[in-house]
Amino acid sequence: MNVRPMHTKRLAASLCAAGLMLAAGAVHAADAIGRAAIQSQYEQDVANCKNGNTNQDRATCMREAGAARDEALRQNLKAGSSDQLQQNMVDRCNRLPAGSRQDCLTQMTSPTNVRGSVQGGGVLRETVIQVPAGTVPPASTVPPAGTMPSTGAMPPATSPGMAPPPVAPGAPMR
């Protein structure tokens, strides 16, 4: 009887089992590291909520921090690639009417001046879009303050407590 081949089979099986245990241990260690990073991010988010360093009320902030942690543990949170973010931008603009799509893409990709802050009441983003002379602006354009469109329409109604609009001398009363 030859004992050597049986010993080799047992050794190979033992080495294979040891390799599987090492791989499982590595996966478990990586999972533990991932969970620790998720928990660390959650604790940082909670600290920001408690310090008021977010633009949300505390209850909403805490709820969002917990939801983000839960989704990260389920591996549903992923940082978008630049290609995916670019595609999202194009998709948002494509949902607009045809006349507004190009302006939307221009606003998304051109340099923008940003003023204000959320804590201060709002952020104003300004993008300058060149319009060739003689072209009609889109219908969504708002006339400058203090001007009335010359459509022959009646002036806007006054609110309670406001003075009525001035009437030109000799003009009929409405």
Side-chain angles (χ1 to χ4, degrees):
M1 222 163 123
N2 190 347
V3 178
R4 191 162 183 87
M6 182 61 100
H7 178 68
T8 304
K9 287 180 184 175
R10 282 188 193 157
L11 179 62
S14 295
L15 287 174
C16 183
L20 287 175
M21 288 174 46
L22 283 173
V27 167
H28 181 69
D31 187 46
I33 291 170
R35 287 181 181 273
I38 291 169
Q39 184 63 28
S40 173
Q41 179 63 50
Y42 170 72
E43 290 169 4
Q44 183 179 5
D45 291 344
V46 167
N48 285 334
C49 291
K50 290 180 178 177
N51 292 335
N53 293 338
T54 67
N55 299 316
Q56 300 170 316
D57 62 88
R58 183 180 268 191
T60 301
C61 184
M62 296 295 284
R63 193 170 45 250
E64 290 292 326
R69 179 191 56 193
D70 293 346
E71 290 301 308
L73 290 171
R74 291 185 199 113
Q75 298 180 352
N76 288 336
L77 283 185
K78 297 175 179 75
S81 67
S82 63
D83 291 338
Q84 182 61 47
L85 296 174
Q86 183 77 15
Q87 185 59 47
N88 289 348
M89 176 198 67
V90 170
D91 289 345
R92 280 192 302 276
C93 291
N94 283 339
R95 291 186 182 128
L96 296 172
S100 301
R101 286 184 196 142
Q102 186 57 49
D103 286 346
C104 175
L105 290 170
T106 301
Q107 288 175 329
M108 295 289 194
T109 58
S110 295
T112 301
N113 295 326
V114 180
R115 287 179 276 170
S117 68
V118 174
Q119 285 99 353
V123 175
L124 177 65
R125 298 178 191 278
E126 177 185 37
T127 302
V128 176
I129 299 174
Q130 297 288 333
V131 178
T135 59
V136 178
S140 63
T141 302
V142 177
T147 62
M148 292 284 294
S150 59
T151 61
M154 292 184 60
T158 58
S159 299
M162 280 183 59
V167 178
M173 297 291 287
R174 297 183 199 204

